[in-house]
């Protein structure tokens, strides 16, 4: 072998040795430094999610920036932040902030939330006695 070829070959071997084996999978960096927070919400008339056909569905993404098909994803995420993800508190977060009187009609409407909140899996449902109560007493998260 010629001296130049031997040097080139040695350089190539050193480069491969430093780079490591080609068959090792590359470690991928996490897509985000924030825990995922993405929910799918549904609503439908009925006493529980098992017997209710969803009539509407929206999405809310609360990771770093807010987005989704919810009419007000920013306020929905703010509601979740305010109760630290305690979904039971969301059902009565506003009281009756609108001042709108509601009838005592019983036509139950069930809201479901499924997905991930700050890295924790969520599967939740709440039933309101009627749509008026859902709109006036529930958090902005439920207003869709």
């Amino acid at each position: 072998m010629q001296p130049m070829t031997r040097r080139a070959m040695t350089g190539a071997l050193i480069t491969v040795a430093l780079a490591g084996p080609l068959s090792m999978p590359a470690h991928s960096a996490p897509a985000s430094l924030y825990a995922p927070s993405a929910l799918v919400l549904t609503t439908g008339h009925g006493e529980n999610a098992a017997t209710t056909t969803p009539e509407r569905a929206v999405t809310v993404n609360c990771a770093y920036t807010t987005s989704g098909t919810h009419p007000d994803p920013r306020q929905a995420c703010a509601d979740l932040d305010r109760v630290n993800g305690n979904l039971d508190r969301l059902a009565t977060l506003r009281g009756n902030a609108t001042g709108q009187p509601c009838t005592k009609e019983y036509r139950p409407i069930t809201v479901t939330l499924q997905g991930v909140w700050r890295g924790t899996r969520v599967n939740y449902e709440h039933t309101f006695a009627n749509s008026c109560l859902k709109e006036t007493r529930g958090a902005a998260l439920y207003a869709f």
Side-chain angles (χ1 to χ4, degrees), residues 47-92:
E47 293 188 3
N48 59 55
T51 60
T52 300
T53 301
E55 296 167 1
R56 297 198 60 195
V58 296
T59 59
V60 176
N61 183 351
C62 299
Y64 191 61
T65 60
T66 58
S67 62
T69 59
H70 189 282
D72 191 355
R74 179 173 289 165
Q75 186 58 49
C77 292
D79 283 349
L80 284 165
D81 282 335
R82 192 169 355 150
V83 297
N84 199 23
N86 182 344
L87 298 172
D88 287 326
R89 287 185 53 208
L90 281 177
T92 57

Side-chain angles (χ1 to χ4, degrees), residues 58-127:
V58 296
T59 59
V60 176
N61 183 351
C62 299
Y64 191 61
T65 60
T66 58
S67 62
T69 59
H70 189 282
D72 191 355
R74 179 173 289 165
Q75 186 58 49
C77 292
D79 283 349
L80 284 165
D81 282 335
R82 192 169 355 150
V83 297
N84 199 23
N86 182 344
L87 298 172
D88 287 326
R89 287 185 53 208
L90 281 177
T92 57
L93 188 63
R94 290 193 295 182
N96 189 347
T98 63
Q100 174 186 349
C102 291
T103 65
K104 294 187 180 206
E105 164 193 29
Y106 184 70
R107 186 164 184 243
I109 186 163
T110 300
V111 178
T112 65
L113 291 84
Q114 294 176 332
V116 179
W117 171 251
R118 292 188 181 163
T120 302
R121 186 170 303 281
V122 175
N123 188 10
Y124 178 82
E125 74 177 75
H126 183 82
T127 302

Side-chain angles (χ1 to χ4, degrees), residues 122-135:
V122 175
N123 188 10
Y124 178 82
E125 74 177 75
H126 183 82
T127 302
F128 293 91
N130 57 51
S131 296
C132 179
L133 291 174
K134 178 179 85 70
E135 295 300 320

Side-chain angles (χ1 to χ4, degrees), residues 5 82 97 144:
T5 306
R82 192 169 355 150
F144 66 94

